[in-house]
């Protein structure tokens, strides 16, 4: 987390949105729009669609701010989960539509990604998740990152890693169990 | 080993929450989780914990500046949210009596479809039937069949036309509910099975409708787009 993120009061901003204060929504936009768009773009890979989703996410933040409960987690985390789940719903619904079209078409674009386990910025290792990910075998670590960051389905991960679908499903399940064990 | 049935159930719940947050759940299960979340505190707690665990992974992506037009577009949509009640009939559609008078013709269609559905049934459980019709010409587009009170099937009678960048969203509202509840996105021409176990039991006159929304569904959690099909539940003996 950067200094800027530490000093921005996400919780107060959501509370102001819940009271209908428009400048609060704008300040959240100025603070997070670029990073949120980065997350969405990596998930859906189409700039216009990613902007549509960011638009929808900000509307949902505006109308849903009053339902945010600080006891359930961080305000910044809530904002990201609103945006991510909009994108994931889109991806999974689309996947259902094009079943049978073959995952190859979906994977036409090579991600401008992080080399797994190598290029990750050292500061990120401060986060416990990275320490725990590092304890997983590389293929299993890749499953988690491709799913969370790239929005890949089991089938897409299997295709990407050249592993059988059943194996990938088991890797995902076991990696999540291991992460839970490691992170508490 | 002290893994009792309770631990197994807890592990299963946690695994479901984990894959929901990770993103690997298929569309049907995702919808199911989203329906359960408002009512299922244990699931919600598990999902919240996974959101917190995995959220630092969002830092693996590079920021991307939005186009200059995006913020004005968001502002415009927020304005629309606030002005809409004044620009359309002041009662929400579910209280719109004029529409219901016009829908009487749908009763005939319901009778016809009902006759067909009941043929060949030897154990008729109490059930509900809904015919969803287009508001303009009252032509029937979908039938909802509920053979028990926990699951309904939305069955297409044809293939509805949906623009490329839009989706049909399925909603229901009981007489005493505050507003409609989403039952998920619908693919034209495909039967959709919806578990209702997190909603109150079906009731006579319960309202169902399909609205046209953006491709990931309504951004507000309530219907925002035009009604494509609409109907009320009729109890069938």
């Amino acid at each position: 987390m950067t200094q800027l993120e530490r000093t921005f009061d996400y919780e107060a901003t959501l509370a102001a949105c819940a009271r209908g204060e428009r400048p609060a929504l704008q300040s959240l936009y100025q603070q997070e729009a670029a990073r949120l768009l980065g997350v969405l773009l990596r998930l859906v890979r189409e700039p216009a669609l990613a902007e549509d989703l960011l638009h929808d996410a900000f509307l949902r933040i505006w109308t849903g701010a009053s339902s945010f409960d600080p006891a359930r987690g961080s305000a910044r985390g809530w904002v990201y989960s609103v945006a991510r789940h909009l994108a994931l719903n889109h991806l999974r619904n689309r996947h259902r539509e094009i079943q049978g079209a073959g995952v190859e078409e979906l994977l036409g674009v090579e991600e401008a990604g992080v080399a797994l386990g190598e290029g990750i910025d050292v500061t990120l290792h401060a986060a416990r998740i990275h320490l725990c990910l590092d304890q997983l075998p590389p293929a299993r670590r890749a499953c988690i990152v491709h799913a969370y960051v790239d929005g890949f389905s089991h089938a897409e991960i299997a295709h990407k890693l050249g592993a059988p679908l059943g194996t990938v499903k088991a890797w995902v399940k076991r990696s999540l169990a291991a992460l839970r064990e490691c992170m508490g | 080993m002290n893994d009792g049935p309770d631990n197994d159930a807890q592990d299963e719940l946690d695994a479901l929450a984990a894959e929901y947050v990770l993103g690997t759940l298929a569309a049907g299960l995702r919808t199911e989780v989203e329906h359960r979340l408002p009512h299922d505190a244990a699931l919600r707690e598990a999902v919240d914990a996974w959101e917190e665990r995995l959220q630092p992974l969002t830092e693996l992506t590079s920021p991307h500046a939005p186009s200059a037009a995006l913020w004005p577009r968001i502002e415009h949509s927020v304005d629309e949210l606030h002005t809409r009640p004044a620009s359309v009939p002041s009662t929400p559609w579910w209280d719109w009596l004029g529409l219901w008078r016009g829908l009487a013709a749908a009763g005939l269609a319901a009778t016809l479809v009902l006759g067909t559905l009941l043929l060949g049934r030897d154990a008729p459980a109490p059930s509900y039937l809904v015919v969803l019709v287009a508001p303009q010409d009252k032509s029937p587009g979908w039938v909802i069949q509920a053979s028990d009170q926990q699951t309904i099937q939305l069955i297409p009678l044809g293939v509805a036309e949906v623009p490329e960048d839009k989706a049909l969203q399925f909603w229901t509202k009981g007489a005493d509910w505050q507003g409609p509840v989403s039952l998920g996105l619908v693919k034209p021409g495909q039967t959709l099975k919806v578990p209702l176990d997190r909603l109150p039991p079906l009731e006579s006159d319960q309202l169902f409708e399909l609205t046209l929304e953006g491709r990931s569904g309504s951004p507000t959690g309530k219907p925002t787009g035009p009604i494509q099909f609409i109907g009320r539940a009729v109890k069938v003996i």
Side-chain angles (χ1 to χ4, degrees):
Chain A
M1 214 179 251
T2 66
Q3 190 56 40
L4 196 62
E5 285 156 31
R6 265 191 289 271
T7 52
F8 189 89
D9 191 339
Y10 292 87
E11 211 173 300
T13 304
L14 287 186
C17 287
R19 290 191 300 269
E21 292 170 23
R22 195 80 70 86
L25 190 69
Q26 187 162 11
S27 72
L28 181 65
Y29 184 87
Q30 285 160 352
Q31 173 74 9
E32 286 299 330
R35 270 185 294 261
L36 283 167
L37 189 59
V39 169
L40 292 171
L41 189 59
R42 183 75 177 264
L43 286 168
V44 302
R45 289 156 197 256
E46 296 168 42
L49 173 59
E51 289 211 348
D52 283 353
L53 290 166
L54 188 59
H55 164 272
D56 289 358
F58 268 86
L59 282 198
R60 198 166 276 202
I61 289 163
W62 178 248
T63 56
S66 58
S67 71
F68 165 71
D69 175 3
R72 289 182 51 193
S74 82
R76 184 168 185 267
W78 182 79
V79 165
Y80 276 79
S81 67
V82 166
R84 270 191 82 246
H85 286 296
L86 280 174
L88 288 170
N89 284 344
H90 172 82
L91 287 175
R92 294 292 90 87
N93 284 323
R94 179 190 65 173
H95 182 69
R96 186 197 255 171
E97 252 169 56
I98 57 157
Q99 258 173 9
V103 290
E104 292 80 5
E105 291 170 35
L106 276 183
L107 297 171
V109 189
E110 187 60 30
E111 74 269 30
V114 179
L116 294 169
E118 291 161 19
I120 299 174
D121 192 298
V122 175
T123 59
L124 292 176
H125 283 285
R128 195 161 179 81
I129 177 84
H130 295 290
L131 293 173
C132 294
L133 273 177
D134 276 353
Q135 296 177 13
L136 295 175
R140 296 207 206 159
R141 194 186 315 149
C143 286
I144 298 296
V145 174
H146 280 316
Y148 190 90
V149 180
D150 295 308
F152 283 10
S153 65
H154 288 127
E156 288 163 337
I157 298 170
H159 180 267
K160 176 86 188 172
L161 301 182
L165 181 59
T167 306
V168 165
K169 286 184 178 175
W171 279 348
V172 167
K173 251 191 178 28
R174 267 184 260 149
S175 306
L176 287 167
L179 282 180
R180 189 181 168 171
E181 186 81 3
C182 172
M183 299 177 76
Chain B
M1 293 295 280
N2 58 0
D3 271 10
D6 284 357
N7 283 336
D8 287 352
Q10 185 56 43
D11 286 351
E12 216 167 283
L13 185 85
D14 197 67
L16 183 70
E19 293 219 31
Y20 169 71
V21 174
L22 186 67
T24 41
L25 283 191
L29 275 173
R30 281 191 67 77
T31 311
E32 193 191 308
V33 168
E34 292 191 338
H35 285 161
R36 281 173 63 180
L37 279 176
H39 314 280
D40 188 334
L43 180 62
R44 197 162 60 228
E45 216 169 276
V47 165
D48 289 345
W50 276 106
E51 296 281 11
E52 291 281 307
R53 281 185 197 113
L54 298 180
Q55 208 258 328
L57 292 179
T58 57
E59 312 279 338
L60 293 178
T61 59
S62 328
H64 190 94
S67 65
L70 187 59
W71 173 250
R73 197 179 136 205
I74 291 169
E75 271 198 308
H76 180 73
S77 300
V78 170
D79 285 340
E80 293 243 298
L81 284 179
H82 291 286
T83 56
R84 182 178 289 115
S87 62
V88 294
S90 55
T91 44
W93 57 262
W94 53 88
D95 288 334
W96 199 4
L97 289 178
L99 179 64
W100 299 111
R101 277 200 294 274
L103 289 183
L108 174 62
T111 313
L112 293 175
V113 178
L114 173 63
T116 321
L117 292 176
L118 285 183
L119 282 180
R121 270 199 173 181
D122 49 3
S127 62
Y128 289 87
L129 185 88
V130 192
V131 179
L132 298 182
V133 303
Q136 299 82 16
D137 60 5
K138 318 291 183 292
S139 61
W142 302 75
V143 180
I144 298 170
Q145 199 187 354
S147 51
D148 56 54
Q149 302 212 341
Q150 300 308 329
T151 314
I152 60 171
Q153 274 187 297
L154 176 67
I155 304 161
L157 300 175
V159 179
E161 295 272 320
V162 178
E164 177 82 355
D165 57 339
K166 298 284 180 186
L168 282 178
Q169 193 160 4
F170 188 27
W171 306 89
T172 185
K173 182 190 173 298
D176 301 327
W177 304 8
Q178 293 214 318
V181 173
S182 173
L183 298 176
L185 296 181
V186 176
K187 291 279 163 288
Q190 278 183 26
T191 294
L192 179 73
K193 246 190 175 165
V194 186
L196 291 178
D197 54 349
R198 297 292 154 179
L199 295 178
L202 286 179
E203 56 191 37
S204 287
D205 274 354
Q206 185 165 335
L207 202 50
F208 290 87
E209 62 145 13
L210 296 173
T211 61
L212 198 59
E213 305 287 348
R215 45 188 157 180
S216 37
S218 160
T220 67
K222 296 291 173 203
T224 60
I227 301 162
Q228 304 297 294
F229 297 97
I230 190 159
R232 279 188 194 269
V234 182
K235 189 163 188 175
V236 181
I237 312 301

